Amino acid sequence: MDERPELRPTVKLRSQAKIDSEAIAKVDGTAERDHPYGMTLEAEEKWEAREMEKRRTRARRQTQSSMREQGSRVSAARGAEQKRRAFDERAASVDPWLHPESGDPREELERDELAAVNQQAQRITQEVRDTSTRAAVSRQLAERVADGGTVLGASVAVMEAERTRPGSVVPIGMLEEVSRQEVSIEGTVEVLWESNHPAIAQVGLLEDEGERVKFTSWTKSRVPTVEVGDEVRMRAVAKNWYQGRVSVALTGDSRIVFLNNA
């Protein structure tokens, strides 16, 4: 008969073991359920096998995900390039210079023609505010000259196109000629009148090169107030007509840039 006492952990020993294992887990940075302390050798080996399989699965998923992402980026870029090329080819039916395989029209000009084109491009970019880059204007001129036009005729056409294109600053004297309802203008605040309506924040006159236009700033537009003498650029103002004269209104889409402080 085996008279050796049966060894069983007391409640105190179990509690102390749990406290010790939790302390070790906190030091290692692992959760209690993620460490093998207190396990049998067999259970510890199974735990290590499961953890290794988890790590392999996570690494495999990350690799698969990165490969899918890379493939999606390549596919999207290829699709965008194909759409752009198809658009350029359709546009080329109207303007042959827009074809993807067309060269630079400046290469087809004679030396004196190219010099005249560059000179006119510089003049246009200096006279038209917020115009395209000098290189872009030069290319527009070269396209017209290469198609058989004169440098003078091309200059007039490109000057007009740059002055009236969306986003450019339109001279106040040309507002009536611009067909767009939303324009950008600039000038000096010459006059301000008292507003007798709560919906109107300011009313005044903006002057540029001897030409004037009435502007109305609505309260809901929340644009900064201006003072007499301020040199400002008013972007995205709405063009209106009143009693046969053109005027502009600052709306929620409008923006004021103070040129005095630029």
Side-chain angles (χ1 to χ4, degrees):
M1 181 177 180
D2 190 359
E3 297 180 353
R4 288 178 298 178
E6 184 179 358
L7 300 179
R8 293 181 179 179
T10 63
V11 174
K12 183 177 180 180
L13 289 175
R14 287 178 178 275
S15 300
Q16 187 62 44
K18 183 174 180 61
I19 293 172
D20 293 342
S21 63
E22 289 179 350
I24 294 173
K26 290 179 179 179
V27 172
D28 291 346
T30 59
E32 179 185 355
R33 60 181 176 82
D34 291 336
H35 67 80
Y37 301 112
M39 297 181 182
T40 63
L41 180 60
E42 181 181 2
E44 183 176 346
E45 290 177 349
K46 290 182 179 180
W47 177 87
E48 290 179 350
R50 286 196 302 270
E51 291 300 310
M52 184 179 297
E53 183 61 28
K54 290 178 183 178
R55 289 193 295 270
R56 289 178 178 175
T57 302
R58 284 194 294 267
R60 184 166 57 252
R61 287 177 178 174
Q62 290 176 356
T63 302
Q64 292 174 347
S65 177
S66 61
M67 291 179 64
R68 284 196 298 268
E69 291 175 358
Q70 183 179 2
S72 298
R73 286 194 296 268
V74 172
S75 177
R78 187 182 297 112
E81 175 62 23
Q82 291 175 350
K83 290 181 180 179
R84 186 193 64 78
R85 186 175 182 87
F87 176 82
D88 290 343
E89 289 177 351
R90 290 196 301 271
S93 61
V94 179
D95 185 355
W97 292 109
L98 295 177
H99 195 279
E101 298 180 358
S102 64
D104 192 327
R106 287 166 289 195
E107 297 177 355
E108 300 187 11
L109 302 182
E110 299 292 338
R111 181 174 298 181
D112 56 341
E113 289 179 328
L114 182 59
V117 162
N118 290 334
Q119 184 178 4
Q120 291 299 319
Q122 183 177 4
R123 183 180 66 86
I124 292 173
T125 53
Q126 289 176 347
E127 292 186 9
V128 181
R129 287 163 286 192
D130 273 13
T131 184
S132 303
T133 63
R134 181 179 173 183
V137 174
S138 174
R139 183 182 177 95
Q140 293 181 57
L141 291 168
E143 289 176 359
R144 295 176 182 272
V145 174
D147 287 338
T150 64
V151 175
L152 179 59
S155 300
V156 173
V158 173
M159 175 79 79
E160 181 70 15
E162 286 296 313
R163 279 179 171 170
T164 58
R165 72 179 178 85
S168 63
V169 176
V170 179
I172 292 177
M174 294 185 60
L175 282 175
E176 296 183 1
E177 303 174 19
V178 178
S179 59
R180 299 194 313 275
Q181 294 301 310
E182 187 177 274
V183 295
S184 297
I185 59 176
E186 72 177 36
T188 304
V189 179
E190 289 293 318
V191 180
L192 287 174
W193 297 302
E194 291 290 335
S195 171
N196 56 3
H197 196 287
I200 298 177
Q202 285 188 301
V203 181
L205 288 178
L206 193 69
E207 190 271 339
D208 177 39
E209 297 182 355
E211 301 289 343
R212 292 183 174 185
V213 65
K214 178 184 175 183
F215 68 88
T216 302
S217 176
W218 296 99
T219 304
K220 289 185 177 180
S221 66
R222 297 183 179 180
V223 296
T225 57
V226 297
E227 298 180 359
V228 174
D230 283 344
E231 296 180 9
V232 297
R233 178 175 298 159
M234 298 181 177
R235 289 210 174 270
V237 296
K239 192 173 68 169
N240 300 313
W241 290 89
Y242 179 71
Q243 295 182 348
R245 301 192 64 176
V246 66
S247 63
V248 297
L250 286 88
T251 66
D253 296 328
S254 303
R255 186 164 58 93
I256 293 180
V257 179
F258 290 89
L259 303 179
N260 311 63
N261 304 326

